[in-house]
Amino acid sequence: MYQILIKIKNQASGFFSQFLSPSTTRNLLLLYSILVVPFFIYHEAHLPWHYIFVLCLVSLVVGLLITYLSLYVIQLYWKETFHPLIEIGVLLLFILALWLTEVLLFEAGTVFLFLFITVAFFIRILQLTEYARLLLAFCLVVSNALISFKALQGAEILSAYLLFKNKYQIEEKDLNRWEVKNDKEYWNEELQFGFTLPEGMFFYKPEDLTLENKTGVGQIAGLLSFSDHDAERYPFVRIFYFPDYLGFQKEQAIQEFSEFLKIQVSKGDIEDLQEIQQKEVQDFILLSKFWTFYDLLRPRYSKTGFMILENSNHDKLLFHMTENLEKGEIHEQVIREFLASIRFRNGL
């Protein structure tokens, strides 16, 4: 037994001696892990711990892999500066990182990329070795940060979608079959529900939406938005479906939607959430609950909430609405028009 313990001790001592021996690459990877894991945990603190663990693991693996490859490329470039293939590859990676994180959607992002390429071109022409090395290292570090964050964001969107989707064992239907007349009159036979699309609004079928757009309580049936390219530019209405056999109750809707809003607050998308009381004029609305909030992504005070309706099959429809505040009005004009046009019989 004593000899076995001595052997284990020697093996452990050898492992730690080898691990702690000077190694720039390993030490940098270890430093990277120590720095980013607390950030990942803080950023995902609004989710259950098992989701946080998976998200951190995915983001850390992606980040470590990119960092290791970046260090390898930097070593190659230090040995053979101004290697055209390395420079082109790093530039393409940098552009990809900017594109993935939607930096290039903004005019300032496009201007930044143009200026960056111009500066890099002059450094290349003038053969400024030290500046070229620093510029390449800068590209790799920024690309690493942006792609790792995008991986974290993508995993977060997926986990939030699954977090709500898995709560109810819904046998999903094909809710993409909307009948349309005159580009305005919409009817869905599965939902036994129709409406008239207000002027200036656009309709998205479930198949046209991203996971982030679909995240919510129930099965997404469609979305009305004030933009033909941004499904969440408000005023917007997301339509969710609940079959009758679920027995979805009003209390469940309040609890689930409150949890959804808490996640939005924890993510830093909104703040100053305040519940408000309002009375709807449509008698087919079973339940209506709304909150005001300050939108940090589109700096302004706005309103969000939900309504529950029931069709002729006793299935429930939940409308998630987000809109601008209008003084003296219950809803914005286009939302009022949408609600007034709702029908539960096929008028096409």
Side-chain angles (χ1 to χ4, degrees):
M1 178 62 73
Y2 179 73
Q3 290 179 342
I4 294 175
L5 292 175
I6 292 295
K7 186 177 180 180
I8 294 174
K9 177 184 175 183
N10 291 337
Q11 288 179 343
S13 177
F15 170 78
F16 283 112
S17 296
Q18 185 178 357
F19 182 80
L20 296 174
S21 62
S23 173
T24 303
T25 300
R26 186 186 61 240
N27 291 341
L28 286 174
L29 292 176
L30 186 61
L31 178 63
Y32 173 85
S33 302
I34 293 172
L35 291 176
V36 302
V37 168
F39 167 76
F40 290 159
I41 294 174
Y42 172 77
H43 189 268
E44 306 303 331
H46 56 277
L47 294 172
W49 67 267
H50 51 285
Y51 279 92
I52 296 175
F53 175 77
V54 174
L55 290 175
C56 290
L57 184 62
V58 170
S59 301
L60 186 60
V61 169
V62 172
L64 286 174
L65 178 62
I66 297 174
T67 302
Y68 179 80
L69 294 175
S70 299
L71 293 173
Y72 177 72
V73 171
I74 288 172
Q75 289 176 352
L76 290 179
Y77 197 69
W78 252 241
K79 294 176 183 177
E80 192 176 350
T81 309
F82 302 118
H83 192 294
L85 292 180
I86 295 177
E87 292 170 338
I88 292 172
V90 171
L91 179 61
L92 291 177
L93 177 67
F94 185 59
I95 294 174
L96 175 65
L98 294 176
W99 177 76
L100 284 175
T101 51
E102 300 181 351
V103 173
L104 297 180
L105 292 180
F106 303 97
E107 185 178 352
T110 306
V111 171
F112 164 76
L113 181 60
F114 174 77
L115 293 175
F116 177 83
I117 292 176
T118 303
V119 171
F121 175 77
F122 280 109
I123 290 175
R124 185 70 167 78
I125 293 297
L126 298 174
Q127 298 284 293
L128 301 176
T129 304
E130 295 302 323
Y131 288 103
R133 291 173 174 174
L134 289 173
L135 199 61
L136 182 124
F138 168 80
C139 283
L140 289 171
V141 170
V142 172
S143 298
N144 182 5
L146 293 178
I147 293 175
S148 297
F149 181 76
K150 189 63 180 180
L152 177 66
Q153 190 180 50
E156 178 187 31
I157 290 171
L158 176 61
S159 64
Y161 173 73
L162 295 175
L163 183 64
F164 284 96
K165 177 183 171 65
N166 290 343
K167 286 190 175 181
Y168 302 98
Q169 300 299 318
I170 297 178
E171 183 181 341
E172 293 198 353
K173 297 184 177 182
D174 181 6
L175 301 180
N176 289 292
R177 291 179 290 185
W178 287 87
E179 301 174 44
V180 186
K181 181 180 178 182
N182 300 326
D183 294 328
K184 293 174 58 179
E185 305 293 330
Y186 284 76
W187 174 260
N188 191 301
E189 192 66 27
E190 286 284 358
L191 299 177
Q192 288 294 298
F193 166 78
F195 62 89
T196 302
L197 188 68
E199 189 70 30
M201 295 200 81
F202 301 86
F203 183 72
Y204 295 78
K205 297 179 181 179
E207 62 188 7
D208 301 325
L209 298 172
T210 64
L211 281 184
E212 188 171 14
N213 300 144
K214 294 179 182 180
T215 299
V217 186
Q219 181 186 353
I220 190 76
L223 186 152
L224 291 80
S225 170
F226 211 64
S227 170
D228 61 348
H229 62 275
D230 180 5
E232 292 198 350
R233 178 182 172 187
Y234 49 75
F236 70 75
V237 181
R238 297 196 299 162
I239 305 171
F240 290 94
Y241 160 76
F242 290 90
D244 176 48
Y245 60 78
L246 279 182
F248 190 66
Q249 301 299 319
K250 301 175 183 179
E251 295 74 18
Q252 289 175 281
I254 296 172
Q255 180 182 349
E256 297 289 355
F257 200 82
S258 298
E259 184 176 336
F260 174 79
L261 290 179
K262 286 178 183 176
I263 289 178
Q264 300 300 108
V265 173
S266 299
K267 285 171 60 180
D269 293 345
I270 64 175
E271 65 179 14
D272 196 18
L273 193 65
Q274 302 288 335
E275 184 178 338
I276 58 174
Q277 301 294 328
Q278 63 181 42
K279 185 173 178 58
E280 306 294 340
V281 297
Q282 288 79 12
D283 56 7
F284 54 75
I285 297 174
L286 303 179
L287 175 67
S288 170
K289 205 166 190 63
F290 280 84
W291 293 259
T292 59
F293 67 95
Y294 184 75
D295 192 338
L296 293 168
L297 302 179
R298 308 170 180 85
R300 70 187 78 168
Y301 275 98
S302 309
K303 183 172 73 172
T304 191
F306 71 91
M307 298 176 180
I308 293 182
L309 291 68
E310 186 174 277
N311 65 13
S312 57
N313 295 331
H314 303 293
D315 298 326
K316 299 290 193 308
L317 297 177
L318 184 147
F319 295 165
H320 168 209
M321 298 179 173
T322 299
E323 55 187 308
N324 298 295
L325 287 172
E326 279 202 2
K327 188 175 181 180
E329 297 289 351
I330 300 176
H331 298 289
E332 281 192 69
Q333 177 65 27
V334 290
I335 299 295
R336 296 200 302 271
E337 292 176 7
F338 164 70
L339 293 174
S341 72
I342 288 175
R343 60 185 181 278
F344 298 98
R345 290 191 302 170
N346 190 354
L348 297 184

